[in-house]
Amino acid sequence: MDIKALEAQQIEMAQQVVIPSENEGYHPSEGDILVTFDVQYIQEEAFVALDVQEWKGAIKGTFLKKLPTPNSYVPSFFAFREGPVLWQAYQALIEEQSIKANCLLIDGHGIAHPRQFGVASWLGVKTSLPTVGCAKQTLLKFHGGIASNRGATLNIQQNKQTLGFALRTQTATKPVFVSPGHLISLSQSVDIILEFASRYRLPEPIRRADQAARAFAKNELEEGWNAPMLLG
DNA sequence: GCGACAG
DNA sequence: ATCTTGTCGC
């Protein structure tokens, strides 16, 4: 892959990202469909899991799709590897299951990225849907300590602009890194992640998608629609 | 120049 | 992401 071309494309697409102010943009309503993505890779095959859940409502199930991976992974250009695969899987969810999302949750970054364009922003621009990124590692350095209680946050800034937060989802566990991808505010992004991370460090939909993708990659689940997995 | 670098 | 078991702790 040509890094210069990717960089140009990244900067061009980043200009399309919209991050509303605190009181505007997407705010989940009861019954909204939230779709959460995760991927496992074997060689150049991507095993994608889409967890479907209603806001304040039922866990609907998981859609599984196997796809070829078009691009290799280049650090800070993760969106170009995983983004197209997430996009294809979401199109299949619409076409095969007639399910459309009100908001997408991505295992990765939104605008908390060196060029403000993580995979959540990529998918947001492609779908014109609100997206939230939640990552286990940060790409941007930040200073200061974060309080140890659940709900504590620390701003992740670049050029004095807040791009996301380190968020403690459980008392005395490592924080996760939350940032809006598109069409949602910083504070709403944190609220959604905190709401979903009621018991573990990672939000439950991400855990479900991760587990489903792993089982799918091991051939323990079949491609297509799967009823909700039991237990936690 | 060297190391670090979401998934 | 993946290569990899049991073990410790809440």
Side-chain angles (χ1 to χ4, degrees), chain A residues 137-194:
Chain A
Q137 303 267 341
T138 183
L139 279 169
L140 303 176
K141 293 183 168 68
F142 59 92
H143 296 293
I146 175 171
S148 64
N149 59 297
R150 168 175 152 85
T153 59
L154 187 63
N155 287 25
I156 298 173
Q157 296 182 321
Q158 200 177 46
N159 304 323
K160 296 180 181 174
Q161 194 191 359
T162 298
L163 298 177
F165 298 94
L167 169 66
R168 193 92 69 182
T169 53
Q170 300 296 330
T171 298
T173 63
K174 289 198 308 180
V176 297
F177 303 93
V178 178
S179 59
H182 191 44
L183 300 176
I184 189 168
S185 69
L186 286 154
S187 60
Q188 268 304 309
S189 302
V190 167
D191 288 353
I192 288 174
I193 296 302
L194 199 53

Side-chain angles (χ1 to χ4, degrees), chain A residues 9-195:
Chain A
Q9 194 183 341
Q10 196 173 53
I11 290 166
E12 196 276 329
M13 285 184 77
Q15 291 170 0
Q16 299 172 52
V17 172
V18 173
I19 306 299
S21 58
E22 297 307 299
N23 297 319
E24 294 170 10
Y26 178 71
H27 182 309
S29 301
E30 193 167 328
D32 274 6
I33 297 294
L34 283 276
V35 172
T36 303
F37 297 69
D38 196 33
V39 184
Q40 293 287 318
Y41 296 95
I42 295 181
Q43 310 286 342
E44 290 308 298
E45 280 193 320
F47 295 82
V48 190
L50 280 64
D51 177 87
V52 181
Q53 171 173 23
E54 288 177 356
W55 181 252
K56 307 276 187 188
I59 298 165
K60 311 287 275 186
T62 310
F63 181 67
L64 301 175
K65 188 79 180 173
K66 186 169 73 174
L67 294 161
T69 314
N71 299 316
S72 57
Y73 171 58
V74 180
S76 89
F77 294 94
F78 176 60
F80 293 96
R81 171 171 174 83
E82 192 150 298
V85 156
L86 301 182
W87 159 258
Q88 294 281 347
Y90 182 61
Q91 296 312 303
L93 181 73
I94 296 172
E95 287 162 22
E96 297 173 28
Q97 306 298 325
S98 301
I99 294 173
K100 287 192 179 184
N102 300 103
C103 181
L104 309 178
L105 178 53
I106 317 297
D107 186 1
H109 291 293
I111 60 169
H113 177 279
R115 287 167 298 280
Q116 289 80 57
F117 198 67
V119 62
S121 295
W122 190 99
L123 193 61
V125 167
K126 286 289 286 187
T127 58
S128 296
L129 286 171
T131 58
V132 178
C134 179
K136 299 177 283 295
Q137 303 267 341
T138 183
L139 279 169
L140 303 176
K141 293 183 168 68
F142 59 92
H143 296 293
I146 175 171
S148 64
N149 59 297
R150 168 175 152 85
T153 59
L154 187 63
N155 287 25
I156 298 173
Q157 296 182 321
Q158 200 177 46
N159 304 323
K160 296 180 181 174
Q161 194 191 359
T162 298
L163 298 177
F165 298 94
L167 169 66
R168 193 92 69 182
T169 53
Q170 300 296 330
T171 298
T173 63
K174 289 198 308 180
V176 297
F177 303 93
V178 178
S179 59
H182 191 44
L183 300 176
I184 189 168
S185 69
L186 286 154
S187 60
Q188 268 304 309
S189 302
V190 167
D191 288 353
I192 288 174
I193 296 302
L194 199 53
E195 166 76 22

Side-chain angles (χ1 to χ4, degrees), chain A residues 1-12:
Chain A
M1 269 196 297
D2 180 4
I3 301 296
K4 282 288 181 188
L6 285 187
E7 213 165 302
Q9 194 183 341
Q10 196 173 53
I11 290 166
E12 196 276 329

Side-chain angles (χ1 to χ4, degrees), chain A residues 47-48 64-66 212-219 221-223:
Chain A
F47 295 82
V48 190
L64 301 175
K65 188 79 180 173
K66 186 169 73 174
R214 281 180 198 279
F216 182 31
K218 286 195 288 185
N219 211 23
L221 287 175
E222 287 188 13
E223 189 162 42

